[in-house]
Amino acid sequence: VQPILTRRCVSCHSRPAAPCQLDFGSFEGLQRGGSRQTALDPRRQDEIEPARLLVDGHSVDDWRERGFTSVIDSGTGPGQEDPLLEQLLSRKSRPAAVGGPALPGVEAETCAFGSGEMAAFLAAHPDHRMPLGLPVIPEEEYRTIVSWLAAGAKGPDSETAADLAAIPSRDMSSIGAWEDFLNRQDPKHVMTARYIFEHVFPARVTFTTGTDALYELIRSRTAPGEPVEPIPTVLPYDDPGGLFFYRFRRTSAIAA
């Protein structure tokens, strides 16, 4: 499933600015689901709470409390609905105007996650089926996703998930050297570490070890060698509120 989502969905639906905050780049993102609040909404005057995976929420219950709706679970009760992901990928024919400019207000209505809302929205705007403005996914790939959803949309088991999130042994030396450098406490190193952190804060990094594993540089309450405990500041120069350590954490590692 994940290779299909990566090839057809992730270019738009990944990272915090994704429409409806839907992130298909990892199984955690699929579990989190979508929000009525989209990050890039030109009509919004006020800020919204950050919703970073593995930082601002750590479980499905956390995200449901924050107003996120599942896109991989079927509805419950009489006349239960298909999962929202299946509705969005419907194989029904589309009008010729696919990819044209959206009507005023349509973009905000796209995040229609209430009971029956997505079906009503797509009936009114059939050109907004996914991938937006692009050809439908091939029948075989569509059936793969629908079969996975029907089987319960299972993710990796705990052992596989742990392996996928673990730091490869070939990266350990590089990470150890960088964490040692960044956490030295003399004034020169403190200033250098802060400069580096503030410039790579939104980025993902990899090492020249051939593993191609991606990492994020974060501030953690825990020292190197201990499990990472991220400090959930919104901006890289926000006050961390006490002692912290620069740490590397592997990211985008768990596939559906």
Side-chain angles (χ1 to χ4, degrees):
V1 171
Q2 188 64 52
I4 300 172
L5 299 179
T6 298
R7 187 168 59 254
R8 298 305 306 272
C9 308
V10 166
S11 59
C12 290
H13 288 287
S14 61
R15 312 304 303 139
C20 306
Q21 300 190 65
L22 281 171
D23 189 332
F24 292 162
S26 68
F27 188 64
E28 292 94 344
L30 285 165
Q31 287 184 305
R32 182 180 68 176
S35 170
R36 289 182 180 275
Q37 294 181 313
T38 191
L40 300 181
D41 186 345
R43 305 164 307 152
R44 191 179 64 246
Q45 300 285 323
D46 302 317
E47 64 183 14
I48 60 175
E49 290 188 16
R52 295 163 293 180
L53 292 169
L54 304 178
V55 176
D56 300 307
H58 299 276
S59 68
V60 173
D61 289 341
D62 287 346
W63 297 121
R64 298 298 171 263
E65 290 177 5
R66 294 170 65 99
F68 280 77
T69 301
S70 174
V71 295
I72 58 177
D73 295 330
S74 299
T76 57
Q80 72 175 29
E81 299 176 303
D82 293 330
L84 292 176
L85 178 57
E86 182 175 347
Q87 295 182 50
L88 286 165
L89 294 176
S90 173
R91 300 284 299 172
K92 293 178 182 178
S93 61
R94 308 180 187 183
V98 170
L103 297 174
V106 167
E107 204 60 46
E109 298 170 10
T110 307
C111 305
F113 294 139
S115 177
E117 290 183 9
M118 184 60 73
F121 173 80
L122 292 174
H125 305 285
D127 55 317
H128 272 255
R129 297 185 188 278
M130 299 293 143
L132 185 61
L134 296 170
V136 297
I137 65 173
E139 182 68 28
E140 183 179 353
E141 294 183 352
Y142 174 75
R143 291 186 180 280
T144 295
I145 292 176
V146 170
S147 297
W148 173 70
L149 292 170
K154 302 297 184 183
D157 58 41
S158 57
E159 182 177 350
T160 302
D163 288 341
L164 290 169
I167 296 175
S169 58
R170 282 187 288 168
D171 288 346
M172 293 297 290
S173 177
S174 297
I175 288 176
W178 271 104
E179 289 185 346
D180 175 70
F181 174 82
L182 293 169
N183 289 300
R184 296 177 189 178
Q185 293 303 300
D186 61 277
K188 180 178 180 180
H189 279 87
V190 168
M191 180 60 70
T192 301
R194 176 169 179 171
Y195 181 88
I196 293 172
F197 174 70
E198 290 186 0
H199 282 73
V200 302
F201 180 73
R204 295 295 177 266
V205 300
T206 189
F207 301 99
T208 57
T209 57
T211 66
D212 294 328
L214 296 174
Y215 300 90
E216 55 186 342
L217 179 60
I218 63 176
R219 294 185 294 191
S220 172
R221 293 291 177 209
T222 52
E226 301 176 22
V228 173
E229 185 181 324
I231 300 172
T233 51
V234 176
L235 299 172
Y237 46 80
D238 285 343
D239 185 355
L243 181 66
F244 70 90
F245 301 88
Y246 293 108
R247 302 288 305 279
F248 285 93
R249 179 172 67 172
R250 189 171 178 182
T251 185
S252 299
I254 299 179

